Amino acid sequence: MPAGLGRTHTKERGTIYDKRNTAYVGIDMHKETHTAVVIDCWMNDLGHITFENRPNAFDSFVLKVKAMCGKLLVGHKYTVKTVNPAYTHAVRLSAPTVHKNDDYDAYCIARILRDMLDKLPDADQPDIFWTIRQFVKRRDSLSKRYSILQNQLHAQLTSSYSSYRKFFSELDGKAALTFWESYPSPSKLWAETAESLAAKLREASRNACSTRKAEQILELVKQDGHLSRDFQTERDFITSNIVKELRHTGEQRDAVDDELRKLLPLTGYQLETMPGINLITAARLTSEIGDINRFPKADKLARFSGVAPVWFSTAGKGKEQRSRQGNRELHGIFYFLAVQLVVISKGGKARHPVFRDYFDRKVQEGKTKPQALVCVMRRAVNVIYGMMKNKTAYVPYEKHED
């Protein structure tokens, strides 16, 4: 995160920086320490500072910067900007000899800060967006762990129950997890009757399982037969252990969802009112976009997310091409949202007729389906930008007959 420190002059249309009287401090951030390089507007290297990553170290860091800059910083405010790593990468590659270390990275950041000070976004995003982002990352981590555990459970059950997929509609349902934990192999099941098994499953599933379901499970186990294996006790322990961790991971993920339900309304955004956007999608959009006021118009958000095309030209001739830049995580969110908006349900009806009609119209105009889907993504960006900017709910468009 780079910091620009120096004199500012405020006018109606924004802030104008007197670059000759401004010191530019590029900070290369790490977990334990940060490295800072201070330059002036002529790119003279005024000094290097390494300081610990803790709040109490910042005051002494500022004092060192003041000592290096002299009169440049006396009595003036500090401005903190965020620099995209793509900029520093480009500056690094522009050198005749490419090298990389903490000091040089901080110097590249300071150079970008000097050249693009008026264009870089301020690093003053409210804490709520940072917190939501941390919850989304935590949920992603738990979901990945949950998928790994599901695959491990599948591998264990394959060697124990040949027809285990027919036992329950969901491998990780409440009744299913209780069954796998209590009966990791058929040898644990022989003493059970249909009534006793049904009673145990009903308790776990809140009376959702019937005696008939228990009879079906016992019949399937009987048809499969039982193959005795060595170290079956150890195998059963692994299965039960996986189920316990799977249940615990699922509970943690549900707890994160509960916290997100409390946090998202505090932003004022009402993204869940739009078809195709559930709690998780709304949280992902909010965590990646953050404060919508960072973007003066929808075009900026489209370019930030890599949805807007890029113009390539030479000698006066060119064409628009699909962008492979921008925030790829946000691009993926808009892509899957667009798919949800144009999908046809099993009944043959469009889940969202307006977006589906728009998609079909673009195809009729000669665009391929992937190109038409990008058009839907672009329109979704406009809609979401308007909802976030005005903090309003989604209002469906209704086509009136003439």
Side-chain angles (χ1 to χ4, degrees), residues 223-394:
Q223 292 175 4
D224 292 341
H226 174 54
L227 178 63
S228 178
R229 299 177 183 275
D230 295 334
F231 304 103
Q232 188 62 54
T233 301
E234 288 75 13
R235 290 170 179 264
D236 293 346
F237 173 83
I238 293 174
T239 301
S240 298
N241 189 264
I242 292 173
V243 170
K244 291 177 181 178
E245 187 174 356
L246 191 65
R247 184 184 288 111
H248 178 65
T249 304
E251 291 172 352
Q252 287 184 309
R253 188 176 60 180
D254 292 342
V256 170
D257 291 348
D258 291 338
E259 292 298 322
L260 286 173
R261 288 188 184 93
K262 299 175 185 176
L263 279 175
L264 287 179
L266 300 180
T267 64
Y269 302 149
Q270 304 179 53
L271 296 176
E272 292 181 69
T273 60
M274 181 176 179
I277 298 183
N278 57 14
L279 172 71
I280 307 307
T281 304
R284 291 182 185 280
L285 285 168
T286 304
S287 71
E288 295 298 333
I289 297 174
D291 187 358
I292 194 62
N293 294 315
R294 296 192 300 150
F295 306 97
K297 54 184 178 179
D299 291 346
K300 296 291 185 180
L301 177 58
R303 191 165 297 280
F304 174 75
S305 58
V307 175
V310 179
W311 178 259
F312 289 88
S313 67
T314 182
K317 298 180 180 179
K319 63 178 181 178
E320 289 183 338
Q321 296 185 14
R322 184 176 64 178
S323 173
R324 298 186 181 277
Q325 303 171 359
N327 186 317
R328 304 316 295 175
E329 184 73 22
L330 187 57
H331 183 276
I333 296 172
F334 278 117
Y335 174 81
F336 287 109
L337 175 59
V339 172
Q340 292 293 322
L341 292 173
V342 302
V343 72
I344 301 295
S345 63
K346 294 182 179 179
K349 295 183 179 180
R351 292 184 179 177
H352 200 294
V354 175
F355 279 95
R356 181 67 199 194
D357 291 344
Y358 180 70
F359 174 81
D360 292 337
R361 187 165 69 251
K362 291 298 179 181
V363 172
Q364 292 172 3
E365 292 174 359
K367 294 185 180 294
T368 64
K369 289 186 177 180
Q371 290 173 339
L373 195 62
V374 173
C375 294
V376 175
M377 293 170 61
R378 183 65 181 84
R379 177 155 290 192
V381 170
N382 289 344
V383 173
I384 289 174
Y385 179 84
M387 292 172 59
M388 296 179 75
K389 191 75 172 180
N390 301 309
K391 295 186 177 180
T392 55
Y394 176 78

Side-chain angles (χ1 to χ4, degrees), residues 44-206:
N44 296 318
D45 192 334
L46 303 181
H48 297 207
I49 304 172
T50 299
F51 59 101
E52 295 182 6
N53 182 16
R54 54 187 178 85
N56 291 338
F58 183 76
D59 292 337
S60 60
F61 160 69
V62 172
L63 291 175
K64 292 179 181 178
V65 173
K66 286 182 177 181
M68 291 178 180
C69 301
K71 297 180 180 180
L72 287 178
L73 299 177
V74 176
H76 298 293
K77 296 181 180 180
Y78 311 138
T79 300
V80 182
K81 297 285 186 176
T82 298
V83 173
N84 192 311
Y87 290 143
T88 57
H89 181 67
V91 172
R92 193 183 303 117
L93 293 180
S94 66
T97 301
V98 179
H99 59 281
K100 187 181 187 307
N101 56 58
D102 294 344
D103 287 340
Y104 188 66
D105 286 347
Y107 173 75
C108 292
I109 293 171
R111 279 186 54 185
I112 296 164
L113 192 63
R114 186 205 68 157
D115 297 337
M116 302 179 63
L117 187 60
D118 297 326
K119 297 180 180 179
L120 293 171
D122 292 339
D124 59 352
Q125 194 164 191
D127 288 341
I128 187 171
F129 298 113
W130 183 89
T131 305
I132 291 174
R133 186 172 181 80
Q134 301 311 304
F135 271 109
V136 170
K137 289 182 177 180
R138 175 58 178 163
R139 193 185 191 283
D140 288 343
S141 176
L142 291 171
S143 295
K144 290 179 181 178
R145 182 58 186 165
Y146 197 85
S147 297
I148 292 173
L149 292 170
Q150 281 183 315
N151 293 333
Q152 292 177 352
L153 183 58
H154 274 291
Q156 294 298 319
L157 296 178
T158 300
S159 63
S160 299
Y161 296 101
S162 301
S163 303
Y164 75 94
R165 293 180 182 272
K166 300 178 182 179
F167 289 7
F168 304 96
S169 58
E170 295 180 353
L171 179 77
D172 55 351
K174 292 182 178 180
L177 291 179
T178 298
F179 182 87
W180 310 132
E181 184 178 6
S182 303
Y183 313 106
S185 63
S187 60
K188 304 288 186 180
L189 195 60
W190 298 137
E192 296 289 351
T193 63
E195 289 75 15
S196 61
L197 177 59
K200 193 163 191 173
L201 295 180
R202 275 196 293 268
E203 181 181 355
S205 62
R206 296 181 181 179

